[in-house]
Amino acid sequence: MRPMLEWPREEESMAAGYYNRDHLPHFGDIAEGGGDLAKKFFDYYGAVFAAGALTEREKALIALAVAHAVQCPYCIDAYSHECLQKGSDLEEMTEAVHVATAIRGGASLVHGLQMLEHVKKASM
Amino acid sequence: MSSTSPLELEGPRGTTSLRARAHPLAPASRQRALLDALDLSRAPHRGDFALSLSASEQGILRPVAIEIVQINVGKLCNMTCRHCHVDAGPDRAAEQMERATVEACLDALDRSGAHTVDITGGAPELNPHFRYLVEGAVARGKHVIDRCNLSVLLLPRSRDLPEWLGDRGVEIVASLPHWRRRGTDSQRGEGTFGASIEALRRLNAVGYGRGDSRKRLTLMANPVGAFLAGNQTSLEREWKDGLGREHGVRFDRLITLNNMPISRYLEWLESSGNLHAYMETLVRAFNPATVSDLMCRNTISVSWDGRLFDCDFNQMLEIPIVGEDGRPMHVRDLDAGSLLSRRIATGRHCFGCTAGAGSSCGGSLA
């Protein structure tokens, strides 16, 4: 058994069919099994990331943070690149990742209040 | 020839020149060979620029009347940035435009029909004839651009330069890869950002960057790594806000350009394992809408020794404009009419100017 925190080596993951780096540039192939839904999704996706009240750069930073929260390696690669290209630097991107981390951590910790209530009720 | 000694040229150092290191990529021929040998068979048109071009609406790059004469007065620079496509540095003191060639450039301006003289280098201000060239171009009624690395303005010899340039209405196009410290220092050398901010303050103090069209201060940003330049309009807003808020510095406009796979940027791409992916990115990002505005169409580039090129990038790759006699053309022979019928030389590096929003010495194109 490998320790829990170790990522699978690339050749192992490829053999198992998980997290193939080559899937990202071929994301559009998902249309093969349902073109209408894929088109709706990608149109929506494109519209979401167009500049609006937020700039494209700000949206890319949010996406980078969310990518870490949902732990999507494809999204992390894609939005690391996108953030740099939109003009963000390592410090800004690191802060974005910490925002995701704080929310994830906070989401766990705030449940501690439920634990606290339970303990208070159940204890003398 | 310049009497400049390297001791006078204390400036930030990101690296040393390919030439000084006798690096295999120092000769332009090796750079061209490396680009040509890349396997881009998975990219559109197999990474053949001429094919990408012929498939676009324009089909071919046709020269138009010369609007800009870009004069590269030499490779001497007080800095040694890691992305420099010129391979400039303090060791390149021999390659400096001489007075006679400067005179030939000024004569050629009269024949060129150009409205703008774009002076670049190296650090052009280090050429001993820089001020003579500026005076001559201004006297001919040309809009003059000084492509400035900012830190050169902190050298003792440059103390009066901001005011001197401002008095002559010279536009300053200053290199700054990022408005925050990290990217700038990592590309251009430790301490560059602080020096750049100090230089920008001095420019602001003499009236540059405050909306006066006679003292226009343009910042030029290029990516700090293997990715394309960001959105020029959006970045300009953020830069103005950031530089103003954190450093009290103002400027008039921001232009962005892509890094070209030439000289030290090519070296970095290769040594960091990014070359293949970057070239594929450029080829895939080919944007036909950029073709009509490519700078090679309305610009003539002159090298320190007076030869003519379609652009500064062809100049660094040693792809000169060749006359009917088959020999490289010299600025003495500049004839606006006959240049109109020249064939603009292209290669894989040209994908750098057509990628995404496009790229030129004047910023993005599309």
Side-chain angles (χ1 to χ4, degrees), chain B residues 170-186:
Chain B
V170 175
E171 176 179 1
I172 293 181
V173 177
S175 306
L176 193 71
H178 205 283
W179 72 268
R180 289 164 50 76
R181 182 181 306 274
R182 175 182 287 270
T184 298
D185 279 358
S186 109

Side-chain angles (χ1 to χ4, degrees), chain B residues 307-351:
Chain B
R307 286 175 298 156
L308 300 184
F309 297 82
D310 296 307
C311 67
D312 202 53
F313 305 125
N314 278 6
Q315 183 183 137
M316 297 315 145
L317 287 173
E318 296 279 356
I319 309 170
I321 297 176
V322 176
E324 284 176 7
D325 58 0
R327 290 160 54 163
M329 288 183 71
H330 193 274
V331 67
R332 281 188 307 266
D333 313 318
L334 187 145
D335 176 72
S338 67
L339 282 170
L340 268 177
S341 60
R342 79 184 191 278
R343 196 186 139 274
I344 294 172
T346 60
R348 280 182 160 168
H349 60 290
C350 300
F351 283 112

